[in-house]
Amino acid sequence: MLWIIRFSGFFSAAMLMIVLSPSLQSFPPAEAIRSSHHHHLDYSYLRLPPPVLLSDSGSMVGAGGRLNFRKAPAFRNSNECASPSAKTQIGDACDPNLVHVAITLDVEYLRGSIAAVHSVLYHSLCPESVFFHFLVSETNLEAVVQSTFPQLKFRVYYFDPRMVRSLISTSVRQALEQPLNYARNYLADLLETCVERVIYLDSDLVVVDDISRLWTTSLGSRTIGAPEYCHANFTKYFTPAFWSDKRLSGTFDGRKPCYFNTGVMVIDLIKWRRGRYTKRIEKWMEIQKNRRIYELGSLPPFLLVFAGHVAPIEHRWNQHGLGGDNVKGSCRDLHSGPVSLLHWSGSGKPWLRLDSKRPCPLDALWSPYDLYGHTK
């Protein structure tokens, strides 16, 4: 055990306790982080990865020689895991024993995506059974993944920005207007039809628990599952023009809509394809172009289609909002309760705050998964 520094922010002081495993080959799933109701945090038994040494063979230098990603250690399945089929190759997504995770890759958020993958592998009991589906709108990013995670099972899917560019309207933050933010809407079309379920993860998060626990969540009759936040003021996600027009707001009649964050979702792709949900989302985006019924990027169309019809998942799987609000950003505390996933949604990203030497206290929980380094 290694006790790490007491730090403070605008909220109460917190103590981190990091338990480093002497072996990467066998370990129990990560214990949850817990935050109390008394305005202090307890990160007991959060196991974080040790530093990874820079490897020349695993380096990836980006544009201008400024980016470098260190090669991650090899992660192996424990003896408890069902072995992937012997015929399963790195690019074979149809093995029924696989856990499927989808995440976007782009230059601006690449550092976050790599850290997210690293965290999933590190805390997974069966890392060789996790298959990643990377959505890209730029070329050459596959080489970054291959060099950083040589044994990773994954495929890369090109998402053409032209598919949604004409449907995107301005948002409160320019980053929310990027076409790749909308790639999650098209997972059922992009992924192989043999993939019947997928976990979608944003690029600004880390998983600190075994991803298979999220994978096995029951969705019942629902198409998607996500943590819901029914105490949130749902009306603020739509404009007065929306609520004043019964032809629009009537879509929620007979439903009990709650806010949910689309950065962590479990999706039943069979039900999605059957229900033609991509077309339903696109229809609301078309209305938005003409009527201005919301302000927040890709989230509101999901709320319009699914709010009130979401399989609830434990809040521990999306401790969101750590990036602060969408305009000015701010340091935030954890919500109360156990934590299995930390999500820096909002305008502040941990890698940018760490580089600027102005991190928030919770950014220290992201940095151990960072495989990025500056070249000299």
Side-chain angles (χ1 to χ4, degrees):
M1 282 193 228
L2 173 65
W3 289 87
I4 298 218
I5 274 190
R6 183 184 301 269
F7 56 83
S8 62
F10 67 90
F11 48 85
S12 303
M15 176 69 78
L16 275 180
M17 186 173 77
I18 299 176
V19 181
L20 299 180
S21 170
S23 168
L24 294 175
Q25 305 302 317
S26 177
F27 48 81
E31 295 289 339
I33 311 168
R34 292 183 179 273
S35 69
S36 77
H37 295 275
H38 302 292
H39 306 288
H40 77 277
L41 305 177
D42 176 14
Y43 303 99
S44 300
Y45 302 106
L46 173 62
R47 188 178 55 77
L48 300 178
V52 180
L53 296 177
L54 181 65
S55 167
D56 291 337
S57 61
S59 303
M60 180 61 198
V61 179
R66 294 173 295 163
L67 299 177
N68 184 291
F69 288 92
R70 307 183 296 276
K71 185 168 71 175
F75 295 96
R76 303 300 183 194
N77 281 0
S78 76
N79 294 332
E80 304 170 40
C81 302
S83 299
S85 170
K87 66 179 181 180
T88 300
Q89 302 298 314
I90 284 181
D92 181 8
C94 293
D95 188 324
N97 293 320
L98 296 174
V99 171
H100 295 277
V101 177
I103 191 168
T104 59
L105 292 180
D106 71 297
V107 171
E108 185 175 357
Y109 281 80
L110 184 60
R111 188 171 171 185
S113 298
I114 293 295
V117 173
H118 187 199
S119 72
V120 170
L121 296 174
Y122 188 83
H123 290 289
S124 176
L125 193 66
C126 307
E128 293 178 278
S129 300
V130 182
F131 193 102
F132 286 89
H133 304 264
F134 294 115
L135 312 176
V136 304
S137 292
E138 304 165 79
T139 58
N140 301 324
L141 295 179
E142 182 174 354
V144 180
V145 177
Q146 288 177 328
S147 63
T148 307
F149 305 102
Q151 305 303 316
L152 193 69
K153 293 182 175 67
F154 74 95
R155 294 194 75 172
V156 173
Y157 307 78
Y158 179 73
F159 177 71
D160 190 341
R162 293 174 296 180
M163 292 179 66
V164 293
R165 188 164 281 139
S166 64
L167 293 172
I168 297 174
S169 54
T170 56
S171 181
V172 296
R173 186 159 56 91
Q174 189 173 8
L176 300 176
E177 301 170 20
Q178 298 305 310
L180 198 59
N181 284 338
Y182 295 83
R184 72 195 85 187
N185 303 1
Y186 298 88
L187 284 169
D189 301 321
L190 293 169
L191 272 55
E192 293 82 353
T193 55
C194 65
V195 180
E196 300 179 353
R197 170 183 282 223
V198 67
I199 297 170
Y200 176 81
L201 298 178
D202 269 352
S203 299
D204 52 357
L205 56 77
V206 292
V207 176
V208 292
D209 204 342
D210 189 345
I211 196 71
S212 67
R213 295 181 178 179
L214 180 59
W215 174 253
T216 55
T217 297
S218 173
L219 300 184
S221 62
R222 304 304 192 187
T223 301
I224 70 170
E228 292 184 295
Y229 302 89
C230 295
H231 63 279
N233 180 7
F234 191 79
T235 60
K236 72 177 184 179
Y237 294 100
F238 302 96
T239 63
F242 171 84
W243 292 113
S244 64
D245 189 335
K246 189 61 178 176
R247 292 172 300 176
L248 300 174
S249 59
T251 191
F252 292 121
D253 289 351
R255 296 156 65 177
K256 294 182 179 179
C258 295
Y259 163 76
F260 65 94
N261 181 281
T262 56
V264 180
M265 296 184 289
V266 181
I267 304 173
D268 185 323
L269 294 175
I270 295 176
K271 290 189 177 75
W272 184 291
R273 293 168 182 134
R274 187 183 302 142
R276 297 175 59 84
Y277 285 104
T278 297
K279 292 297 182 184
R280 299 190 197 187
I281 290 173
E282 286 181 335
K283 182 63 178 178
W284 282 110
M285 293 175 69
E286 290 170 359
I287 293 173
Q288 160 73 354
K289 291 291 287 188
N290 296 319
R291 298 290 303 274
R292 194 66 183 178
I293 59 175
Y294 57 79
E295 304 290 348
L296 271 177
S298 61
L299 169 64
F302 262 86
L303 297 179
L304 287 160
V305 173
F306 291 110
H309 298 310
V310 175
I313 291 176
E314 289 182 277
H315 288 177
R316 67 190 300 155
W317 285 105
N318 195 351
Q319 282 271 346
H320 67 287
L322 303 184
D325 64 72
N326 274 312
V327 180
K328 59 185 179 181
S330 56
C331 293
R332 290 192 177 174
D333 203 341
L334 291 176
H335 307 294
S336 62
V339 181
S340 293
L341 184 149
L342 296 155
H343 188 186
W344 279 262
S345 58
S347 62
K349 302 308 174 189
W351 55 92
L352 297 177
R353 295 194 297 219
L354 287 163
D355 284 354
S356 69
K357 309 300 182 184
R358 293 182 296 176
C360 290
L362 290 177
D363 295 346
L365 298 179
W366 179 88
S367 59
Y369 303 98
D370 186 15
L371 293 174
Y372 168 83
H374 292 278
T375 59
K376 296 182 179 180

